[in-house]
Amino acid sequence: MTAGTDIGSLVRDQAVKCIHQDFDSRYDMEHIRRVLGTENARLLQGVSQNDIDMLKQFFFNTIYPRMGERAERDKSFESMVAMLKHPSRLGRFIPSLPVLVLKYARVWPTAVNVGVNAMMAYLYSLRIEELVSREAVAILKEQGRAPDERFEMDIPLYEKAFVRVPLSHSRRMLSSAVKVMRAGKNPELVKTTRNILNDVRGNFARLDKQRRDAGQPPMYEDIIRALNFGETVLNQVQSVFGALGEEKLTRVIRITEINESHHINTLYGVS
């Protein structure tokens, strides 16, 4: 790695830390009460800080993972999302795809959308981190400064950099994340989505095994990693949102929408 790459990684790591710090602060119960106000106070009935912490952990594990937890995941997502958006491409690799589609015909489109939205939320978070890092360096340059190996990003710099990122990125990330959360209200959908994922992953694993047996390198390890991430998200959805129950989950989702929209609008100064 070059010195420039090292500094770039440091700036990105600092941006992620600020995102986590920012996210952590706005999922404090007292902060949420203030944001909701009296008109939405009923949404918090029976919702504890522990429930909010479960939600926060879901975001940290699936959309805002720490830098060290994502290296193997990142490069596989663009191709996987493209494939999920165009299932016909899967047919080139999985001869049994028509059988899978028939097997899960009732929920196939909905289940695929769960996977697409989980990955899109993650990809938007990556794009935001990348742009925040780039804009932070640009702001320092405008001030006649440059990050070095001792660089630490503070919240004022982070917020100045964040508002240079297109507002649409944050809104799209929130929209995708909420769609995944809503899937948690349908345990059968979560279960079926996992079954589809496992069947597709099994096909790719068999193709790679055939290649290895023939003395050829595997081709689908990145896609399999992306599918493994999908399983992680589904496990989180099942454990976190299943524990809340449908009625409370509905309110927690609404709390999230209000809280995140307030945060975005406050940062960007929009109403």
Side-chain angles (χ1 to χ4, degrees):
M1 293 177 66
T2 65
T5 304
D6 284 336
I7 296 300
S9 297
L10 173 61
V11 173
R12 180 74 173 262
D13 187 56
Q14 287 292 313
V16 171
K17 287 180 179 177
C18 285
I19 287 171
H20 281 207
Q21 183 180 341
D22 186 19
F23 193 85
D24 217 13
S25 66
R26 68 180 181 269
Y27 279 84
D28 172 77
M29 184 63 83
E30 290 309 310
H31 173 82
I32 291 174
R33 288 187 198 281
R34 288 194 298 272
V35 169
L36 292 180
T38 55
E39 66 273 23
N40 290 302
R42 57 180 176 74
L43 293 172
L44 281 173
Q45 186 175 356
V47 176
S48 66
Q49 182 66 59
N50 184 61
D51 295 326
I52 297 299
D53 288 344
M54 289 170 60
L55 172 68
K56 185 167 63 176
Q57 198 58 46
F58 167 76
F59 279 112
F60 279 164
N61 289 343
T62 60
I63 300 172
Y64 293 117
R66 289 171 174 80
M67 291 293 286
E69 300 167 9
R70 64 176 65 193
E72 291 298 322
R73 184 188 304 175
D74 292 0
K75 60 180 179 177
S76 63
F77 273 53
E78 295 284 358
S79 59
M80 192 66 225
V81 168
M83 192 173 290
L84 284 170
K85 282 184 171 179
H86 303 280
S88 60
R89 296 180 187 178
L90 282 169
R92 296 204 298 267
F93 307 106
I94 307 175
S96 61
L97 183 64
V99 176
L100 291 178
V101 174
L102 285 173
K103 180 179 178 182
Y104 300 110
R106 186 173 58 85
V107 295
W108 178 273
T110 306
V112 168
N113 280 334
V114 173
V116 169
N117 281 303
M119 292 187 184
M120 290 306 297
Y122 179 67
L123 287 172
Y124 280 126
S125 77
L126 291 183
R127 183 63 176 150
I128 289 168
E129 290 165 15
E130 176 189 346
L131 292 174
V132 167
S133 303
R134 188 179 73 185
E135 295 299 339
V137 172
I139 290 168
L140 291 174
K141 186 176 180 180
E142 291 163 9
Q143 297 172 347
R145 303 161 57 199
D148 58 22
E149 64 277 1
R150 299 184 302 278
F151 172 72
E152 293 185 6
M153 188 180 298
D154 58 24
I155 292 299
L157 174 58
Y158 159 74
E159 290 183 344
K160 286 179 184 176
F162 199 104
V163 297
R164 293 189 180 191
V165 176
L167 175 59
S168 59
H169 285 30
S170 293
R171 286 181 169 163
R172 288 171 182 164
M173 181 177 68
L174 174 59
S175 175
S176 294
V178 166
K179 287 173 183 174
V180 176
M181 293 169 66
R182 286 177 180 150
K185 295 166 66 174
N186 187 340
E188 190 60 31
L189 173 62
V190 174
K191 179 181 176 181
T192 303
T193 303
R194 184 186 290 108
N195 289 341
I196 292 172
L197 182 150
N198 287 334
D199 283 350
V200 172
R201 181 173 53 190
N203 276 278
F204 280 116
R206 280 191 290 275
L207 288 171
D208 267 354
K209 183 179 185 304
Q210 290 170 6
R211 291 182 61 83
R212 289 189 184 95
D213 291 345
Q216 298 174 316
M219 286 182 60
Y220 305 112
E221 289 182 333
D222 285 344
I223 289 176
I224 290 171
R225 286 191 190 101
L227 292 167
N228 288 340
F229 169 75
E231 183 174 34
T232 298
V233 172
L234 291 172
N235 289 339
Q236 286 281 315
V237 168
Q238 185 176 48
S239 63
V240 173
F241 302 134
L244 293 174
E246 183 176 353
E247 191 276 333
K248 186 186 284 188
L249 175 56
T250 299
R251 288 187 284 116
V252 166
I253 291 172
R254 185 62 188 139
I255 290 167
T256 303
E257 290 178 303
I258 295 171
N259 196 33
E260 290 300 301
S261 295
H262 175 271
H263 173 68
I264 292 168
N265 292 342
T266 300
L267 266 181
Y268 283 87
V270 298
S271 55

